[in-house]
Amino acid sequence: MSTAVRAEWTKLRTVPSTGWLLLTAVVLTVGVSTLETVVVKCPASCSDDTTKVSLTGVLVGQAAVAVLAVLVVTGEYSSGMIRITLTAVPRRITALAAKAIVLTGVVLATGAIAVAGSVLAGRYILPGNGFTGAHGSLALSLGAGPTLRAAAGSVLYLALVALLSLGLATALRDSGASITVLLGLLYIVPLLTDLGTLDPRWEHRLQEWGPMTAGLAIQATRNLKSLPIGPWPGLGVLALWAAGALLAGGLLLRLRDA
Amino acid sequence: MSTGTITPYRSEQRPGRDDFPHLLRSEWTKFRTVRGWLIAMVAAVLLSALAVVAIASAANGKQNPAANPTVAIGPDGEAVTDNFYFVHQPLTGNGSITVRVTSLTDAEQPGQPPFGNVSQPWAKAGIILKASSKPGSAYAAVMATPGHGVRMQYNYTHDLAGLSGTPSAASPRWLRLTRSGDTITGYDSTDGTHWTKIGTVTLAGLPPAVKAGLFAASPQYVQGGQGFANNSGPGGIDTRITATFDHVSLRDGRPGGTWTAGRIGFPTGPEGRFHCTASGPQQPGHYHGKCAPGAVPLSGSIIAGSGGTYTVTQNGGEIGPYVTNVDPLGTVLKGTAVGLLAVIALGALFITAEYRRGLIRTTFAASPRRGRVLAAKAIVIGSVTFVAGLIGAAIALPIAERKLHSGGWASSVFPIWSLTSGRGLQIVVGTAGLLAVAAILALSAGAVLRRSAGAITAVVVLLIVPLILGVVLPQGPADWLLRLTPAAAFGLQQGTPQYSQVMHICQPYNGCFPLSPWNGFLVACAWAAAALGLAAYLLRRRDV
């Protein structure tokens, strides 16, 4: 297993697109979060969830993480390298597990940087916008329990999205198809539930079971009772999606030729 | 050894032709012969039509109070707001009514916390010819407004501009309405002798005796926009209009009658709320003709002063279209995002598959002018997507609208657009155009990045993520995001009518887009053109 992990790590770090994609993920996350914290001001909306405001960028940065995860698998298929990989590591589940381990490590590290950057931006910009603790607003501080939970949860969220993409890509084997299905899964559900026209039962179901809508519940630190699903259960729903995708991918990997 | 002549070999083939139509034909051949692409295009369109219809079935209006509000119905069947007080006399047969307005101010109603300068630009005071006292009956009015000068409005949804500027004692406004059969003409003037015609309208089926009179109405002042995740939406402040009329004259060939005070609409105002003065608590709800304890029913007072002057004070009221904040058709049409994703994938794959298989070298060897190759690809993928989108939207729109209305969304507030109406055509052609532009954008991204995953993601982030962020950002930045990104083209799918004569804050949270629909489409086209330019430049500079 350790040789497989070392091999996967070599593959990942020697491909130039990995670096660019991780950089894009960090830039997008921190950039969108900073944009959001700069424009949200206290006299207009003091009761906002400041932690969720400063972590908004995660919903854009996850796209770059998803692309990285998809390319980790489909890059091998498109270049024909998969035959060599599966010859070198005949136990295919080990090969998939090694990919998953390396990918998770890399995404956790990058996610930590991105989330830390977002929270720092919030920490320094929000008090200037009026969120000083007065008028019922929350000052952002990483020491506070819920904020720490939201930040750590967002890093986990990115890792789970990467694992979901990995499983899906292993099942579909084609980069275009995998990324299309994945982005559809992630972004179409909030598009439908955001505009408030659906039957409330369907809206609730979609928000509870959609991978992105449920997973991002981890970022909420206020009004937890009014959320469709709690923070940790929401992340658990995303974990279920990732587990299901990895299961499907692993099964297909074992049953198919290559 | 015989040296016979050997005819040199000449190929039987004719030289190939290197013109654009043949290039188009070869690109079309590439598209239709890849197993799965044509099927994928058809499947994408069918899937999005299915998604739209499925979402329409799930859009339950029965539990949504905004789906079937209590409204008056206007002459064309549309939902209208028709609440005002006026003094009137019957005008029988042909005749005219004239008035001079010497002052007009609008401010917030007393008794509320001070909000600063609250002057409803569309508050109205003027003359009106109304068919009957039933709310929603036909009318034509000429009025002075604090923010938009003199206007002539008729049948709730129509608005014509007259003289600009606010009336004052130094520069009064004379207003006149003349009736001749079913035709009513509005005039305005600054001195009472030189009249300018504002407009002529024909109100079908006017009774012989219409109510002609002086009226005033002052709708709520709407301020604020959405906050983060719409934490603080716009609020309405009750306003009051004060105006002075004099030189009132009514000519219809009959001896002068007496002015009667009348009321149209009220007690249930636009949101089912009884408009009561703020001397008691303002509370929403149906009061069936009564105010909450301590509050007094709205009064419009048009008091006759000396010398034929009338002082008009009116709290609240409005004559105009009913403006709703929800857009169920626009939401339902977001189901096209399903097909949009597939179309983006196809557009990117159209060129990245060539890179992956190495066919791109053959393509560029056969057609060394790479800009033309890109143009041919763009035309092929754009036209195929446009046609497919047109068919899909034309099928899905009527079905979705029927399902919405059987689900409880009142057709007076949310009109059913037929495929031949202006708005119906805008939705169908606009959706097809949006899909085509997305495909071309994806093609360019694929040519620039040469990898499908990156190209598809880039286009999805530009096209779909702004819709999600637009709901989460506060009003100003959300508006800018939806003006600058190609997602502005989704404005073509808006289903509820927009009226410029009503004060209304267009919130992305409610599905309202800041740019006008076709301007939003132009933004998306500009992005596609820029991307094509970048792709052409890079294709020429790079090796392959």
Side-chain angles (χ1 to χ4, degrees):
Chain A
M1 178 64 150
S2 63
T3 39
V5 171
R6 205 145 5 107
E8 290 302 332
W9 168 235
T10 309
K11 279 186 224 164
L12 194 61
R13 71 177 163 80
T14 49
V15 166
S17 62
T18 306
W20 283 111
L21 282 169
L22 292 175
L23 185 65
T24 311
V26 171
V27 165
L28 277 178
T29 310
V30 176
V32 175
S33 298
T34 314
L35 169 76
E36 182 85 27
T37 47
V38 161
V39 299
V40 171
K41 302 224 161 52
C42 177
S45 36
C46 288
S47 58
D48 282 347
D49 187 343
T50 44
T51 313
K52 199 165 166 69
V53 166
S54 58
L55 286 173
T56 315
V58 169
L59 80 83
V60 185
Q62 67 179 341
V65 165
V67 172
L68 174 68
V70 163
L71 286 180
V72 158
V73 173
T74 59
E76 295 216 18
Y77 275 96
S78 63
S79 60
M81 176 88 178
I82 190 71
R83 301 169 225 149
I84 304 190
T85 303
L86 294 180
T87 312
V89 187
R91 290 229 198 92
R92 300 186 173 192
I93 301 300
T94 312
L96 185 61
K99 280 193 192 294
I101 292 173
V102 168
L103 186 66
T104 311
V106 163
V107 171
L108 280 176
T110 318
I113 300 175
V115 166
S118 308
V119 170
L120 273 175
R123 168 89 180 75
Y124 286 111
I125 298 180
L126 283 174
N129 278 356
F131 290 91
T132 47
H135 308 292
S137 62
L138 271 183
L140 196 64
S141 109
L142 206 51
T147 312
L148 193 58
R149 185 250 300 146
S154 298
V155 179
L156 279 176
Y157 172 86
L158 285 173
L160 285 173
V161 165
L163 286 175
L164 170 62
S165 322
L166 185 71
L168 207 55
T170 315
L172 293 174
R173 294 184 291 183
D174 176 65
S175 62
S178 334
I179 199 74
T180 309
V181 172
L182 184 65
L183 290 178
L185 257 181
L186 288 177
Y187 286 127
I188 301 251
V189 173
L191 202 61
L192 297 178
T193 57
D194 272 347
L195 292 176
T197 325
L198 285 184
D199 191 338
R201 289 173 305 149
W202 276 106
E203 203 167 298
H204 192 86
R205 270 181 213 147
L206 282 176
Q207 283 179 329
E208 260 190 321
W209 292 103
M212 176 168 140
T213 44
L216 285 180
I218 193 79
Q219 292 181 344
T221 56
R222 280 193 144 175
N223 296 328
L224 294 180
K225 297 246 173 7
S226 62
L227 290 177
I229 189 168
W232 287 114
L235 206 61
V237 167
L238 180 61
L240 274 176
W241 276 96
L246 282 172
L247 191 64
L251 263 175
L252 283 170
L253 188 63
R254 277 204 65 174
L255 295 174
R256 286 194 297 221
D257 181 4
Chain B
M1 195 154 115
S2 69
T3 49
T5 44
I6 304 172
T7 28
Y9 173 73
R10 287 275 181 268
S11 166
E12 298 281 307
Q13 304 277 15
R14 283 197 315 215
R17 289 202 285 177
D18 182 32
D19 54 0
F20 195 66
H22 278 80
L23 188 54
L24 272 178
R25 187 162 163 227
S26 63
E27 291 300 336
W28 165 239
T29 309
K30 278 184 216 167
F31 184 81
R32 69 175 167 83
T33 48
V34 171
R35 188 185 59 178
W37 279 0
L38 215 43
I39 300 177
M41 180 70 78
V42 172
V45 164
L46 280 180
L47 259 175
S48 41
L50 253 161
V52 165
V53 169
I55 298 167
S57 315
N60 190 326
K62 300 207 170 79
Q63 294 164 17
N64 191 335
N68 202 348
T70 323
V71 288
I73 308 289
D76 300 320
E78 73 279 14
V80 300
T81 313
D82 197 11
N83 306 306
F84 61 101
Y85 281 77
F86 64 150
V87 294
H88 61 100
Q89 283 189 36
L91 177 76
T92 322
N94 299 341
S96 74
I97 174 169
T98 312
V99 79
R100 183 176 81 151
V101 182
T102 48
S103 83
L104 183 74
T105 46
D106 190 81
E108 66 176 277
Q109 281 179 29
Q112 299 182 100
F115 285 103
N117 181 19
V118 166
S119 171
Q120 234 285 14
W122 287 106
K124 316 159 162 58
I127 41 177
I128 187 168
L129 291 179
K130 194 145 172 73
S132 78
S133 54
K134 176 169 159 298
S137 49
Y139 76 95
V142 177
M143 62 200 74
T145 61
H148 296 274
V150 170
R151 314 295 290 199
M152 176 173 174
Q153 296 185 348
Y154 59 99
N155 279 359
Y156 308 95
T157 49
H158 306 274
D159 170 63
L160 302 163
L163 293 167
S164 58
T166 329
S168 62
S171 120
R173 295 283 179 268
W174 293 78
L175 314 171
R176 170 177 290 170
L177 276 171
T178 45
R179 178 203 178 175
S180 164
D182 276 357
T183 314
I184 301 184
T185 317
Y187 300 88
D188 60 5
S189 158
T190 42
D191 57 4
T193 23
H194 304 99
W195 294 90
T196 336
K197 184 168 86 160
I198 308 176
T200 315
V201 303
T202 312
L203 302 178
L206 269 186
V210 299
K211 297 183 195 299
L214 316 169
F215 82 102
S218 187
Q220 281 198 325
Y221 182 91
V222 183
Q223 69 165 15
Q226 66 187 43
F228 173 71
N230 204 44
N231 236 334
S232 51
I237 302 172
D238 292 324
T239 57
R240 160 189 289 185
I241 184 171
T242 321
T244 320
F245 295 155
D246 56 14
H247 288 89
V248 184
S249 77
L250 180 78
R251 292 184 214 292
D252 63 348
R254 288 179 174 235
T258 44
W259 292 104
T260 344
R263 181 191 75 188
I264 307 282
F266 297 126
T268 47
E271 302 105 57
R273 187 168 66 155
F274 194 111
H275 287 262
C276 303
T277 57
S279 55
Q282 284 259 356
Q283 288 172 41
H286 289 266
Y287 283 105
H288 305 290
K290 299 199 190 99
C291 272
V296 172
L298 239 206
S299 65
S301 42
I302 302 184
I303 306 165
S306 61
T309 334
Y310 290 81
T311 322
V312 180
T313 321
Q314 171 74 51
N315 286 336
E318 160 74 315
I319 318 173
Y322 177 79
V323 171
T324 177
N325 270 337
V326 199
D327 186 8
L329 189 58
T331 310
V332 158
L333 286 173
K334 296 282 179 298
T336 48
V338 171
L340 185 66
L341 276 174
V343 156
I344 293 175
L346 275 175
L349 280 173
F350 196 27
I351 192 159
T352 57
E354 292 211 26
Y355 275 99
R356 198 198 305 179
R357 305 286 174 216
L359 182 58
I360 194 73
R361 303 169 223 149
T362 313
T363 302
F364 286 154
S367 310
R369 286 157 71 176
R370 302 183 176 190
R372 284 201 325 173
V373 173
L374 189 66
K377 279 191 186 292
I379 292 177
V380 166
I381 195 86
S383 343
V384 173
T385 313
F386 186 80
V387 169
L390 212 55
I391 299 175
I395 297 177
L397 182 66
I399 304 179
E401 285 185 311
R402 303 254 172 281
K403 284 217 180 281
L404 273 180
H405 290 99
S406 60
W409 296 87
S411 58
S412 58
V413 185
F414 307 102
I416 299 186
W417 307 107
S418 79
L419 284 178
T420 48
S421 66
R423 181 64 73 108
L425 267 181
Q426 173 190 302
I427 292 178
V428 169
V429 173
T431 304
L434 170 67
L435 289 172
V437 167
I440 295 178
L441 207 49
L443 178 78
S444 318
V448 168
L449 295 172
R450 295 182 282 187
R451 305 294 301 262
S452 59
I456 296 173
T457 312
V459 177
V460 167
V461 165
L462 275 177
L463 208 46
I464 296 189
V465 172
L467 292 178
I468 301 176
L469 278 179
V471 170
V472 161
L473 286 170
Q475 180 84 25
D479 277 349
W480 276 110
L481 194 64
L482 290 176
R483 281 194 191 109
L484 294 177
T485 54
F490 276 98
L492 287 163
Q493 293 187 329
Q494 288 173 99
T496 43
Q498 311 273 15
Y499 298 105
S500 52
Q501 72 261 38
V502 178
M503 188 180 194
H504 177 63
I505 299 214
C506 178
Q507 287 188 296
Y509 186 80
N510 294 329
C512 182
F513 285 75
L515 289 177
S516 81
W518 290 109
N519 283 350
F521 185 64
L522 277 178
V523 169
C525 288
W527 273 88
L532 272 177
L534 177 65
Y537 170 72
L538 284 174
L539 276 182
R540 289 217 200 93
R541 268 197 51 139
R542 291 196 291 226
D543 181 5
V544 176

